[in-house]
Amino acid sequence: MTAAPARRPPRGHRAGHLLGSYGLPALTVLLFLLFSAALPETFPTRDNVSSILSNQSIPALLALGATLPIAAGRFDLSIGYGLGLAHVLVMHLIVTAGWPWQAACLAVVAGGALVGALNGVVVEYGRINSFIATLGTGSCMYALTGLITDGGRIVPGPQGLPTAFTDLYDARFLGLPVPAYYVLAATAALWVLLERLPLGRYLYVIGSNPRAAEAIGIPVRRHSVHAFTGSGLVVGVAGVLLAAQQQIGNPSVGLDYLLPAFVGALLGSTTIRPGRANALGTLVAVALLAVGLAGIGQLGAQFWATPLFNGGTLLLAVGLAGYAARRRLRPRPDPGAGPGGGDAPAADRAAP
């Protein structure tokens, strides 16, 4: 008996899949070309590209950190507060306590992972909604930040900070700012974790259906704590980088990064792998935001344009993410089905 030929998805479905997967990278390139045409003397220059890569490195790291809990269907609203605490703590250990900068950085990164694990324990074992739990722990972090700084700023003495420490942000390699390589390394690590390791597959199952994950034996609570721990570790790294950039301890600076981080993470779940939080999608989304913000800034936009752009993009990202998730779960039409439409549900097909 001759085997039936493989069915190809309808052309419209393939076009919609390509648009959903790669429309955002195409939009990023188009936006860059439009701003380059409008600002030919300043926008498409090496200095401008280098500035964009450097300035957006910390929001990109935070967005990648937020991607991990989102993959598991959780949200970590404490990342902005954690960033502020981490960078203030680095400055406190170096300037006030006199620690070597290497030890201070390692302690803060390890502390970030510990705080992330605590967030996961509160959410999973305390049975508290992740929005409320991480907002509460974030408020505690903000209080601790104020306690360390006494409401003021931590300013280095006349000798300044160690050059090797500030080079964590200021140095260049192969003509590009070093922070860009941190972002690429974090993206590669997150891609491997989510796409190639069992933990990543478990997080996706947990994010899609936690009850089904428990039913098939996946330790939902433990792996969710792992996701929060990874997020906290990335926040610690971003805090070290922020301290090297700012070179002062500012107790309120971290909150400015919360909205861009979630915009990047949520918008990233609408591209490359629509409906799923993914590392490459987050990187593309951050690139789109960076190009857009740099372009409107050079066009002379007012100060309120940046929060308007971020807020509007967040609403668009949430809407697109929800649509992509529904579209991924929607049964595909069967071109071989009769006039009644697609195949019957699996339960109906199995019925005698």
Side-chain angles (χ1 to χ4, degrees):
M1 183 176 180
T2 306
R7 294 171 178 169
R8 295 183 178 179
R11 182 174 300 176
H13 178 81
R14 294 198 303 270
H17 174 73
L18 290 175
L19 181 62
S21 298
Y22 304 108
L24 205 63
L27 178 60
T28 304
V29 174
L30 178 61
L31 203 60
F32 184 87
L33 293 176
L34 289 175
F35 283 127
S36 297
L39 302 162
E41 296 183 358
T42 58
F43 198 82
T45 63
R46 180 176 178 178
D47 288 342
N48 183 54
V49 172
S50 179
S51 176
I52 291 175
L53 292 175
S54 181
N55 293 337
Q56 295 301 317
S57 58
I58 296 172
L61 286 174
L62 278 188
L64 291 168
T67 299
L68 266 173
I70 290 176
R74 277 68 171 162
F75 292 89
D76 186 357
L77 296 183
S78 71
I79 57 176
Y81 301 98
L83 178 69
L85 175 60
H87 105 277
V88 160
L89 190 55
V90 170
M91 295 297 298
H92 172 75
L93 292 176
I94 295 175
V95 176
T96 307
W99 283 32
W101 69 268
Q102 300 94 330
C105 294
L106 289 175
V108 168
V109 172
L114 183 62
V115 169
L118 177 61
N119 276 335
V121 169
V122 170
V123 171
E124 298 301 326
Y125 292 92
R127 298 287 187 174
I128 303 176
N129 180 275
S130 61
F131 279 101
I132 299 172
T134 57
L135 191 61
T137 57
S139 182
C140 294
M141 293 181 209
Y142 190 59
L144 184 56
T145 302
L147 177 64
I148 293 173
T149 62
D150 197 24
R153 297 186 176 189
I154 300 176
V155 181
Q159 72 279 8
L161 295 171
T163 303
F165 173 69
T166 57
D167 280 346
L168 292 176
Y169 184 86
D170 295 333
R172 290 175 172 271
F173 181 71
L174 298 178
L176 295 177
V178 167
Y181 295 99
Y182 304 152
V183 174
L184 291 177
T187 302
L190 187 60
W191 180 84
V192 170
L193 189 152
L194 291 177
E195 308 293 340
R196 291 294 181 264
L197 296 181
L199 176 59
R201 294 192 289 272
Y202 294 154
L203 291 179
Y204 281 140
V205 175
I206 293 169
S208 298
N209 193 330
R211 291 186 178 180
E214 288 182 348
I216 62 177
I218 296 176
V220 173
R221 292 182 180 179
R222 188 176 71 193
H223 289 320
S224 296
V225 171
H226 291 162
F228 278 102
T229 303
S231 176
L233 187 145
V234 175
V235 170
V237 172
V240 169
L241 193 60
L242 182 62
Q245 177 201 46
Q246 298 281 320
Q247 300 184 23
I248 60 171
N250 186 346
S252 62
V253 71
L255 299 179
D256 297 334
Y257 291 88
L258 178 61
L259 183 59
F262 272 95
V263 171
L266 291 173
L267 188 59
S269 66
T270 68
T271 188
I272 307 300
R273 298 194 66 183
R276 288 185 174 182
N278 65 94
L280 295 179
T282 299
L283 185 63
V284 170
V286 171
L288 173 66
L289 295 172
V291 170
L293 290 173
I296 63 177
Q298 292 187 27
L299 287 174
Q302 298 294 324
F303 70 94
W304 47 262
T306 296
L308 178 63
F309 182 83
N310 284 330
T313 308
L314 177 62
L315 294 175
L316 179 64
V318 172
L320 289 177
Y323 172 77
R326 292 190 299 271
R327 190 171 179 271
R328 183 167 58 88
L329 296 174
R330 188 183 305 160
R332 295 182 180 181
D334 184 359
D343 289 341
D348 294 342
R349 291 201 306 269

